Amino acid sequence: MPAAKNNAQPQLLFVDGTFEELAKEMAEYLKAEEAVQLASKDKVSKEDVLSKLVAASPGLSTVPEKEYTAASNLLIHLVLQSADPKKHLQTLCGNLAKVPINSSVHGPGLSLNALTTVFNLLPQEDVIRARIFLEIVKFLKTHSMFEYLRPYLENLSDWLEAWDASEEIERMIYENVAETAMEAGEESISYEFVLKAMRTFDADEKDEITSEDAQRLSLRAIKMAVLSNTYFLFQDLRAIPSVQALSDSHPIYSQLLDIFAEQDLEDYTDFTEEHEGWVEQQKLNPERLHRKMRLLTFASLAAAMPSREIEYTKIAKALQIPQEDVEMWAIDVIRAGLVEGKLSQQQQKFLVHKVTYRVFGQKQYQELSTRVDHWRATLQNVLGVLRQEQVNAKTQKEREVQDLERKLNNAGISGGNQGSSNRRQQRERTDNDD
């Protein structure tokens, strides 16, 4: 679905003939008697003829497979001759989305090609493109064809801005993309577009962020986030105004989100006891939530340890598990990307190398301050040891120098006495000879 290159009215190059001739041909092909009669008159409104042709366009779904593309292209060409094509295009696209019944294998592809032809032939900044794109997304969702949509997601935000689409259309597109991605098993993409849809509500308008659609999307986002096997940080979600509004309309969901954002397994256990049966009633998969809270609790424990060492006993207590299961959970939290470290079976400790902070607020700043103080004390101790070693080394060197000088002095004195003795003996021999 590439964007049109310019804003001029595009044409299908292979279409030849006047509007009246082509409209009559199309009407006869679709067996639309009213359209045939109108197209046969000398003076007739083009818009009236187009209205009859578009009304008869469901007949395209019954044409032979080999004729479908030519017939749909001709009808698209005629509709684009309208002074105001958008009056007809949405209805036309709705009918083009009906898969040809005579093409069981290639039918969806033929319909998709017709829809994308409409999209591509419209001027690049025409706002009607947003509605056509919405029809395309709905079609891809219906026929589980997400892979055809994937290449265009990167440009979608820019397209919507260029089209100056309304917030409602923008939200509908994002939500349908999210549903199409979810059906394809693309949870991360689906969640991303649910958040995009939620951000289309005006944060300054209370009526918008507390509307039924806003609350519905917010609840959906929370469910997706807490159940996801790959999503562990909730600050972005909590910052969205419509989610914050849930504290009044759906306080239990708001409480659950707060627990997953920054609290621990003990808090979650208290929550389930306080709201017994609620998790099951909401179909939130208790086992998955419990497992995720254990991983999040492990991450919080690792972040709170200034020494970067966690004893197996502390992990077992925090995660409410037998001590023999600690290593299994350590492996799981590393796989989840929340913590990096290694196990020391000999010391019965988990050595933390790196940890992801679930939230960074006053508590985390305090923990960071404590850790910095711990590092400072450690470095001061190391510096003190180094300085003492320097003093010891200097003292040792001075002692060695003194010992060497002493040995040299002793050697010099001994050599001098021996020399004097030899000289005296030599003089005595000389005197005797005389």
Side-chain angles (χ1 to χ4, degrees):
M1 291 176 286
K5 299 298 183 182
N6 54 61
N7 292 331
Q9 179 64 51
Q11 299 289 328
L12 294 173
L13 299 181
F14 54 84
V15 175
D16 186 24
T18 65
F19 175 83
E20 292 75 14
E21 293 171 344
L22 295 174
K24 184 177 180 180
E25 179 183 342
M26 189 78 249
E28 291 174 347
Y29 184 79
L30 293 175
K31 297 180 176 61
E33 293 299 329
E34 292 184 10
V36 171
Q37 292 175 8
L38 279 175
S40 301
K41 294 180 179 180
D42 292 335
K43 293 182 179 181
V44 64
S45 167
K46 180 186 291 187
E47 300 304 320
D48 289 341
V49 174
L50 288 175
S51 294
K52 296 298 182 182
L53 288 175
V54 171
S57 61
L60 286 172
S61 64
T62 63
V63 305
E65 178 180 310
K66 62 181 180 180
E67 298 176 7
Y68 181 85
T69 298
S72 60
N73 282 346
L74 176 56
L75 186 53
I76 292 168
H77 169 74
L78 290 170
V79 169
L80 291 179
Q81 307 312 303
S82 169
D84 189 12
K86 65 175 176 288
K87 292 192 306 183
H88 310 289
L89 283 176
Q90 193 165 0
T91 300
L92 174 62
C93 287
N95 292 329
L96 292 176
K98 297 175 181 177
V99 175
I101 61 176
N102 295 321
S103 180
S104 58
V105 177
H106 303 105
L110 292 172
S111 290
L112 179 60
N113 286 338
L115 291 169
T116 54
T117 295
V118 175
F119 182 83
N120 291 333
L121 289 175
L122 289 168
Q124 185 174 0
E125 296 183 359
D126 194 333
V127 68
I128 192 61
R129 296 184 95 208
R131 289 194 173 275
I132 305 306
F133 188 82
L134 177 58
E135 292 298 327
I136 292 173
V137 175
K138 289 180 177 179
F139 178 85
L140 295 174
K141 172 189 167 187
T142 300
H143 296 279
S144 303
M145 299 170 71
F146 175 74
E147 290 305 317
Y148 288 87
L149 180 61
R150 188 192 296 274
Y152 307 106
L153 298 183
E154 184 177 350
N155 299 320
L156 183 53
S157 295
D158 293 336
W159 284 355
L160 290 168
E161 184 177 355
W163 299 333
D164 195 22
S166 68
E167 292 179 349
E168 181 182 3
I169 292 298
E170 187 176 350
R171 182 161 53 250
M172 291 173 66
I173 289 176
Y174 284 147
E175 189 172 357
N176 276 273
V177 169
E179 291 173 358
T180 308
M182 179 58 74
E183 290 181 5
E186 297 286 352
E187 291 187 5
S188 297
I189 296 177
S190 179
Y191 182 73
E192 174 190 349
F193 279 88
V194 168
L195 295 188
K196 286 179 179 288
M198 293 163 60
R199 293 188 178 107
T200 61
F201 295 103
D202 189 341
D204 296 326
E205 295 291 337
K206 186 175 180 179
D207 289 344
E208 284 201 28
I209 63 175
T210 58
S211 66
E212 183 178 347
D213 281 344
Q215 299 291 280
R216 174 179 55 81
L217 283 171
S218 298
L219 292 175
R220 178 179 174 185
I222 291 178
K223 291 177 182 179
M224 293 176 69
V226 298
L227 289 172
S228 171
N229 290 323
T230 58
Y231 190 81
F232 294 97
L233 302 179
F234 301 86
Q235 287 303 93
D236 288 348
L237 179 59
R238 295 171 83 196
I240 297 176
S242 61
V243 173
Q244 295 174 352
L246 292 177
S247 60
D248 294 326
S249 60
H250 296 80
I252 300 179
Y253 267 104
S254 184
Q255 183 182 356
L256 178 67
L257 180 59
D258 289 342
I259 291 172
F260 273 80
E262 56 183 327
Q263 298 178 30
D264 296 332
L265 181 60
E266 185 176 354
D267 300 296
Y268 177 72
T269 301
D270 292 341
F271 170 85
T272 56
E273 291 176 355
E274 180 183 356
H275 305 288
E276 186 176 359
W278 182 85
V279 170
E280 292 79 4
Q281 291 172 3
Q282 299 299 313
K283 300 179 180 179
L284 287 176
N285 194 323
E287 292 76 17
R288 183 179 291 187
L289 295 186
H290 200 266
R291 177 183 182 276
K292 188 166 184 174
M293 275 308 307
R294 277 181 168 155
L295 295 176
L296 292 169
T297 300
F298 200 133
S300 293
L301 185 63
M305 287 292 161
S307 65
R308 293 290 187 169
E309 295 181 353
I310 317 174
E311 297 175 356
Y312 280 15
T313 53
K314 289 185 178 180
I315 298 174
K317 182 179 179 181
L319 272 60
Q320 300 174 12
I321 57 173
Q323 189 165 327
E324 54 265 27
D325 291 343
V326 166
E327 294 182 0
M328 177 188 71
W329 282 97
I331 293 171
D332 284 348
V333 80
I334 291 173
R335 285 175 177 169
L338 288 169
V339 178
E340 292 181 12
K342 66 178 181 179
L343 293 160
S344 174
Q345 293 180 330
Q346 184 176 5
Q347 300 179 28
Q348 291 287 285
K349 291 180 179 181
F350 180 77
L351 310 179
V352 181
H353 296 163
K354 183 179 178 182
V355 62
T356 299
Y357 279 92
R358 296 166 58 191
V359 63
F360 212 89
Q362 184 63 36
K363 179 181 177 181
Q364 287 67 40
Y365 277 113
Q366 185 61 44
E367 290 175 355
L368 181 60
S369 176
T370 302
R371 181 167 295 161
V372 170
D373 290 342
H374 177 79
W375 288 341
R376 183 185 293 113
T378 300
L379 290 175
Q380 286 176 344
N381 290 336
V382 171
L383 183 60
V385 172
L386 289 175
R387 285 176 175 171
Q388 185 61 47
E389 288 299 320
Q390 286 179 330
V391 171
N392 294 341
K394 183 177 180 180
T395 302
Q396 180 64 25
K397 185 175 182 180
E398 290 175 350
R399 186 179 297 113
E400 291 175 354
V401 170
Q402 291 173 358
D403 290 343
L404 180 61
E405 288 178 350
R406 188 180 303 109
K407 289 179 181 179
L408 290 175
N409 289 336
N410 289 338
I413 293 172
S414 176
N417 292 339
Q418 183 64 37
S420 298
S421 176
N422 290 338
R423 284 195 295 274
R424 283 197 303 272
Q425 291 177 2
Q426 192 173 29
R427 282 198 300 271
E428 288 174 357
R429 285 197 298 272
T430 303
D431 294 339
N432 291 334
D433 291 341
D434 292 341

